[in-house]
Amino acid sequence: MVTGTRLPVSVVTDPDHGGRWTALTAGGREWLWHRDEPRRRLVRPGDPFADAGGLEECVPTVRGLPDHGDAWSRPWRRAGDGDGAGDTDVVDCPDFRLTRRLRAESGAAVADYTLTAEPGYRFVWAAHALLELSPSARIGIDGTAETRLYPDEGAGWVTGQWPRVDGIPLDRLGPDDGTAVGAVVLTPRVAVHDGPDTLHLSVEVGGQPVAVALWRNLGGFPQDAPYRSIGVEPMLGRVFDRAGADDGDTAVVPPSGEVAWRLTVTATRRP
């Protein structure tokens, strides 16, 4: 349930560098977290992930190979004219083409995606959003959704019910404690509450599995130079790595050769 005053959402992207979202603002607040990562502007397809923050388009996988997918490390081409109907960007990867049309609609940021590939192609997509949040922020999920908890870099998961899995309160961030875990929550929508502000993200698609991935890094990753980062990532699929996915855990391209889905981002503020 959305409460508070609706705030117009504004997005800035960088087509030359993986279609990355570099700004996501509402009511004067920048929601995206960033860090200095000089490798980010120099990456080439197949390079290890260069974590500069923002929102990266991760497809056809998140973990596994290619690291964080094949689209974030490639230049995208602008196909729209930005005339108010939205900007359309396209990236061609070896096995698929991804098209994204991003526009403002009633104050929301709406991104419509189409992936084109051979029928039967299996993939995971995540809007890999790293957010600038205080330790008192909390993650809101409707109900007690099934949740898959991954240890850092772990291939397997522990299944539980939101919000607490294996003793970890995933809805609470808190101060740094030296831990880092990932989770996949089987829900199409999530709210991120921080002070008076709330960011709402939802994904819609027909006939494909959806979820929200969480990356709860409270200064536990990487081991040699840990930093704090919080990822809240609407996704198609229900696993981080498509390589080990069971049936029903990835999106699958149908006989039409296309999968279309929508990401909607809204923001509200309480008085």
Side-chain angles (χ1 to χ4, degrees):
M1 180 178 180
V2 177
T3 60
T5 302
R6 185 85 166 256
L7 302 173
V9 177
S10 177
V11 174
V12 177
T13 64
D14 185 354
D16 290 339
H17 299 91
R20 177 170 170 252
W21 299 32
T22 56
L24 173 61
T25 57
R29 173 175 181 153
E30 174 56 61
W31 280 94
L32 294 180
W33 169 87
H34 299 85
R35 67 186 288 266
D36 183 26
E37 174 48 274
R39 293 185 300 120
R40 181 63 187 87
R41 299 188 67 83
L42 303 175
V43 295
R44 297 292 183 268
D47 283 355
F49 187 57
D51 185 9
L55 185 156
E56 303 277 14
E57 303 282 0
C58 294
V59 60
T61 194
V62 182
R63 293 183 178 178
L65 296 174
D67 187 9
H68 282 69
D70 215 4
W72 72 273
S73 59
R74 297 175 182 270
W76 295 35
R77 67 179 187 275
R78 177 60 51 88
D81 56 12
D83 61 357
D87 291 325
T88 300
D89 297 312
V90 181
V91 61
D92 289 302
C93 297
D95 297 322
F96 64 89
R97 169 177 290 176
L98 181 66
T99 302
R100 180 187 66 200
R101 177 172 173 256
L102 184 60
R103 68 189 191 280
E105 184 176 289
S106 301
V110 179
D112 286 315
Y113 295 85
T114 303
L115 184 139
T116 306
E118 289 294 322
Y121 182 71
R122 301 168 74 242
F123 69 95
V124 170
W125 162 84
H128 187 279
L130 296 175
L131 303 182
E132 184 68 51
L133 302 172
S134 73
S136 62
R138 60 185 180 88
I139 310 297
I141 300 288
D142 292 338
T144 55
E146 180 180 332
T147 302
R148 298 172 171 182
L149 175 70
Y150 291 74
D152 176 39
E153 298 302 316
W157 63 78
V158 176
T159 301
Q161 294 294 314
W162 179 267
R164 182 180 289 268
V165 181
D166 203 29
I168 299 175
L170 294 170
D171 59 331
R172 303 291 175 171
L173 302 179
D176 292 357
D177 61 9
T179 64
V181 296
V184 175
V185 189
L186 306 193
T187 179
R189 62 186 59 86
V190 62
V192 183
H193 308 282
D194 194 10
D197 295 322
T198 300
L199 189 70
H200 310 264
L201 305 102
S202 65
V203 60
E204 304 169 68
V205 65
Q208 305 286 351
V210 298
V212 173
L214 302 177
W215 171 237
R216 188 176 180 271
N217 176 21
L218 305 182
F221 177 88
Q223 290 188 353
D224 57 343
Y227 54 85
R228 179 186 180 94
S229 60
I230 306 297
V232 180
E233 310 167 21
M235 65 188 305
L236 265 58
R238 304 188 300 190
V239 290
F240 284 114
D241 188 348
R242 65 170 180 164
D246 294 330
D247 289 344
D249 281 341
T250 69
V252 180
V253 176
S256 66
E258 290 187 348
V259 177
W261 67 95
R262 173 173 292 178
L263 171 67
T264 302
V265 183
T266 60
T268 56
R269 175 171 292 161
R270 300 191 312 273

